[in-house]
Amino acid sequence: MKLGFLLNGENVTMEVDPARPLLDVLRLDLALTGTKQGCDHEGECGACTVLLDGVPVRSCLTPVGKVAGREIITVEGLGTPDALHPLQEAFIEYGAVQCGFCTPGMLMSAKALLDREPDPSREEIVEALAGNLCRCTGYSAIVEAVQAAVCRLRGEDEETAGQEGADAYCGPIVGGNALRTDSIDKVTGRTKYAEDIMKPGMVFGCVLRSPHHHARVAAIDVSEAEAAEGVIRIITAEDIPGENGLGDYSRDEPVLTPVGETAKMKGAPVALVVAGTADQARAGAEAIEVTYERLPHVFDVEEALGEGAVPIYEGGNVLTSEAEAHGDLEGGFERSDVVLEMTYRTAFQEHAALEREALLGYLDGAGRITVIGGTHEPHWQQGYIAAALALDPEEVRVIMPPTGGSFGGKQDPWPFVATALMVYHTGRSVRLVYTRQESFDASPKRHPYRVRYRLGATRDGYLRAIHARVDANTGGYDGHGQYIPNYALTASGGPYRYEAVDAYAQSVYTNGPKGGQFRGFGSPQSMFALECALDELAEQLGEDPIGFRMKNRIDQDSISYLGYPVAESLGYREVLEAIEPHYRALEEAAAAFNARQAEGSVRQAVGFAGMWYRFGKSGSLRIEAHAELAEDGHFVVYCSAPDYGQGTNTAMAQMAAEALGVPRASVFLLIATH
Ligand code: FES
């Protein structure tokens, strides 16, 4: 059907299937990639919001036939770097942009609100943005930015001070309110995330995954799939030229489950299909016939550790463990006036970064296997790909584009290796994008913990003994679960003094989703349990929660929970002292609120939790960067720390500028994007 519409002030006429989603037409046919896709064309995330005759609509749910003769505005039509809309300016200045993947949709919803209501209340702003999900900012900065834009559009000064550009600073750059180096591109829709980068002749990959939690792959028949329309290549485990594994990232996880082996979680990959279109690749995957022999499965650690438990691996269901013991434990409990026994459990947690796992692979001009995708560790991904393809690492290149959030999830090398395999076997440019459902099913999750405590303390409020047992559920595969006990154990005692310690943590296989990195890797679950237990104990002892922690904090000369003296600077006492007045003020405010609401059902309370955190994996933590002076007077700084939305690029440029004593604009950061 031929149809016309007004797009960002320009008349567009095109021949198009009227049923196609407007989102796909904008992104794929018209190359307007500022509008994003975060869900499966279900209108769930709001990233695809555009204005249709001034009304915000989900372009993923809008058939393009509906826009005939009407006006569409996308983020590209809102403002340009030289002429930003006040909303775009405010988003930059108020730190409302982090990874930026939600930003275009958020801006369009905000614009629609301000066009119809020039003086919205905070509640109206929140309501107008309620359908736009953001995984990075926590929303407060976004709402403040919209409030600031309201003032500017009315020609008023907003009360909250905006931030100044770092380049305006003469004084220290580190610690200043630097604007992000990437925010203008993010608010104008110019940032190119992996899915926004196209290649001519690009073909599409799809993954066939096990539908069972635990099953032996008895046979794979690809004959029908190979004959399916558009299918270019089917890849199974026997087509992997090198190691069918993910190296030390996940020491027992195959890239593809071979015939005769067991798939150990729902979503375990069995085959890859490359086809001319995404739909053809999906149909090809559905046409593969896999014969499974289903096996019994377990989901929780008690079952997996129990007598007669389903053996998931020949060596048993424990992956790794870590133990620490010092002092006279039984004596410590005997000297205690109160002994508390508690068990805490946490659940699997999904990162749900707004940008799904999206990659583009191709052969570069030198014939190198090249993969573009968001990750934390492009250099490690290069190594895993090279090992799977039996290539020299020099024959593989990984490029990290701006990334729409990760929180640890995109550390998984699997999609990189899979994309490289598809390029290797086809010689074509291949796009692999997980569906949101697939991302939920197959991406790594935060490890669920069972944490059991026995804690003893004397009546005067001092901790004496701690017995801690942590069982971390690493799911069907290692996925870095090998490192978890170390983090889990360290965090299970926190920055507190004990006379005696007996702690043990283990990673346990189940048939749940594979574990992996998630903010705070391995620590928050233990911290949550410990701090809850300390509150329980403080209450039993009649101690104030913050005072109880102050009494038991470690200092510079203490023996730590891990049994060695605290050698490095610490600062927990200073933190507690700094927080206490605010804590007391909040306690008073909550008590006053509750007194006023004596008849109501809402109550306020104040909580406090402390933590310590171990950095890095075992071994030394070596971090380096290099700088050189370019002929034009800029400093070129080589730095491999990747920015997946958290602002590393800005922070690294700030640190380099301060160290070199030059304005930030004089620093050119060469990162994994290049
Ligand atoms: Fe909103 Fe990242 S800034 S999802």
Side-chain angles (χ1 to χ4, degrees):
M1 171 179 166
K2 188 170 185 171
L3 59 85
F5 49 88
L6 194 63
L7 176 60
N8 296 331
E10 304 272 337
N11 280 311
V12 174
T13 306
M14 62 192 305
E15 195 73 42
V16 64
D17 176 353
R20 285 190 75 207
L22 174 60
L23 172 66
D24 296 0
V25 173
L26 289 171
R27 289 182 51 83
L28 303 176
D29 299 3
L30 300 170
L32 289 180
T33 55
T35 303
K36 304 300 180 201
Q37 181 180 348
C39 64
D40 296 339
H41 288 90
E42 291 165 332
E44 294 287 353
C45 71
C48 68
T49 304
V50 299
L51 302 190
L52 180 58
D53 291 339
V55 176
V57 295
R58 301 279 198 267
S59 60
C60 72
L61 292 178
T62 307
V64 69
K66 267 197 168 180
V67 310
R70 301 172 74 180
E71 181 184 20
I72 300 162
I73 302 178
T74 68
V75 70
E76 289 91 346
L78 189 59
T80 63
D82 297 331
L84 294 172
H85 186 280
L87 273 166
Q88 292 169 312
E89 287 176 351
F91 266 58
I92 293 172
E93 292 170 21
Y94 280 76
V97 184
Q98 287 192 27
C99 81
F101 204 79
C102 69
T103 305
M106 202 68 85
L107 283 167
M108 301 319 289
S109 292
K111 175 164 169 43
L113 170 68
L114 303 197
D115 286 350
R116 92 170 172 267
E117 173 51 71
D119 189 18
S121 64
R122 191 175 200 285
E123 289 66 36
E124 285 172 318
I125 295 172
V126 170
E127 197 184 327
L129 301 180
N132 291 80
L133 302 183
C134 174
R135 287 288 289 119
C136 304
T137 64
Y139 299 102
S140 296
I142 292 172
V143 174
E144 283 167 17
V146 177
Q147 288 175 311
V150 168
C151 295
R152 289 175 192 191
L153 284 163
R154 294 203 315 227
E156 297 167 7
D157 277 346
E158 63 264 34
E159 278 181 18
T160 315
Q163 299 177 16
E164 293 176 58
D167 298 334
Y169 278 70
C170 302
I173 298 173
V174 174
N177 283 336
L179 296 184
R180 291 178 63 113
T181 52
D182 53 5
S183 49
I184 291 178
D185 282 349
K186 286 180 173 174
V187 298
T188 53
R190 286 162 191 247
T191 299
K192 295 288 182 204
Y193 300 86
E195 204 178 349
D196 302 331
I197 301 167
M198 314 287 173
K199 284 272 177 193
M202 185 171 76
V203 295
F204 295 81
C206 182
V207 187
L208 177 68
R209 299 179 181 279
S210 166
H212 306 298
H213 299 292
H214 196 194
R216 184 173 162 272
V217 176
I220 303 175
D221 181 354
V222 299
S223 51
E224 195 183 320
E226 276 176 333
E229 186 188 353
V231 168
I232 297 166
R233 176 75 204 227
I234 293 171
I235 299 163
T236 61
E238 60 190 29
D239 300 313
I240 298 173
E243 286 173 29
N244 183 9
L246 299 175
D248 62 355
Y249 175 83
S250 189
R251 288 182 294 199
D252 47 34
E253 182 177 354
V255 179
L256 297 169
T257 309
V259 171
E261 299 289 325
T262 58
K264 295 175 171 65
M265 67 170 198
K266 186 180 170 191
V270 176
L272 302 169
V273 179
V274 186
T277 69
D279 286 345
Q280 288 170 339
R282 209 168 302 120
E286 282 165 13
I288 298 174
E289 245 181 69
V290 182
T291 308
Y292 294 100
E293 287 168 9
R294 293 179 66 173
L295 299 166
H297 56 255
V298 291
F299 289 138
D300 60 56
V301 292
E302 284 100 321
E303 261 188 277
L305 293 168
E307 192 88 1
V310 173
I312 300 168
Y313 288 89
E314 275 177 18
N317 290 344
V318 174
L319 169 58
T320 49
S321 63
E322 190 88 21
E324 176 58 46
H326 55 91
D328 171 13
L329 191 77
E330 285 318 311
F333 281 120
E334 275 164 23
R335 284 191 296 283
S336 298
D337 298 310
V338 176
V339 175
L340 177 85
E341 290 194 37
M342 295 293 288
T343 298
Y344 298 90
R345 291 168 205 275
T346 63
F348 283 108
Q349 197 180 355
E350 159 68 27
H351 309 77
L354 212 55
E355 178 202 36
R356 299 159 298 153
E357 290 78 358
L359 302 99
L360 174 66
Y362 56 94
L363 295 174
D364 74 1
R368 276 180 303 188
I369 300 272
T370 306
V371 181
I372 300 177
T375 176
H376 293 223
E377 290 151 346
H379 306 92
W380 288 13
Q381 315 299 28
Q382 179 193 33
Y384 298 132
I385 292 171
L389 298 183
L391 293 174
D392 190 282
E394 299 297 313
E395 297 173 273
V396 175
R397 186 169 180 212
V398 171
I399 299 175
M400 187 184 161
T403 300
S406 169
F407 321 115
K410 288 181 181 151
Q411 234 161 329
D412 184 7
W414 190 88
F416 282 82
V417 176
T419 304
L421 260 171
M422 291 190 280
V423 176
Y424 178 91
H425 281 294
T426 63
R428 307 282 293 269
S429 300
V430 183
R431 161 85 72 229
L432 176 66
V433 184
Y434 285 14
T435 64
R436 177 58 68 183
Q437 184 60 54
E438 189 177 15
S439 182
F440 282 145
D441 282 349
S443 68
K445 309 283 179 272
R446 190 193 290 286
H447 300 75
Y449 280 12
R450 174 178 67 163
V451 188
R452 291 168 291 162
Y453 280 121
R454 203 168 151 228
L455 273 165
T458 41
R459 195 53 73 198
D460 56 2
Y462 285 94
L463 291 165
R464 298 296 171 202
I466 179 169
H467 181 271
R469 293 291 179 268
V470 185
D471 301 307
N473 185 340
T474 196
Y477 298 103
D478 172 351
H480 259 34
Q482 58 190 291
Y483 298 106
I484 279 286
N486 199 319
Y487 288 82
L489 183 136
T490 303
S492 67
Y496 304 104
R497 275 192 319 269
Y498 308 88
E499 287 178 4
V501 171
D502 182 346
Y504 180 82
Q506 59 188 351
S507 274
V508 181
Y509 287 117
T510 66
N511 298 112
K514 66 179 181 182
Q517 291 88 342
F518 200 139
R519 283 179 168 174
F521 185 53
S523 302
Q525 304 97 309
S526 289
M527 289 167 194
F528 153 76
L530 175 68
E531 295 290 326
C532 288
L534 291 179
D535 276 348
E536 298 275 354
L537 196 52
E539 192 173 353
Q540 289 194 22
L541 292 165
E543 289 276 333
D544 167 74
I546 204 162
F548 185 53
R549 288 168 173 86
M550 182 65 96
K551 268 185 184 172
N552 290 288
R553 71 181 189 271
I554 47 173
D555 281 319
Q556 203 72 33
D557 57 357
S558 306
I559 297 295
S560 74
Y561 176 68
L562 299 175
Y564 51 77
V566 177
E568 306 286 333
S569 68
L570 192 70
Y572 192 36
R573 178 173 58 80
E574 289 85 345
V575 168
L576 290 168
E577 285 171 354
I579 285 172
E580 184 162 10
H582 303 282
Y583 179 87
R584 301 290 171 221
L586 286 170
E587 268 188 328
E588 278 178 31
F593 175 89
N594 294 339
R596 287 197 303 275
Q597 300 285 319
E599 301 301 315
S601 57
V602 178
R603 292 286 181 279
Q604 287 187 354
V606 186
F608 174 85
M611 65 166 282
W612 70 350
Y613 183 71
R614 55 149 303 170
F615 289 96
K617 300 193 188 105
S618 303
S620 66
L621 197 56
R622 182 166 151 266
I623 299 166
E624 59 183 57
H626 302 262
E628 63 190 29
L629 182 59
E631 285 183 354
D632 66 0
H634 278 80
F635 283 94
V636 180
V637 177
Y638 298 83
C639 174
S640 66
D643 191 333
Y644 31 89
Q646 81 282 43
T648 313
N649 289 350
T650 304
M652 294 297 162
Q654 279 176 278
M655 287 194 272
E658 179 143 313
L660 294 164
V662 297
R664 197 184 67 188
S666 297
V667 171
F668 178 76
L669 199 65
L670 201 66
I671 49 173
T673 312
H674 299 282

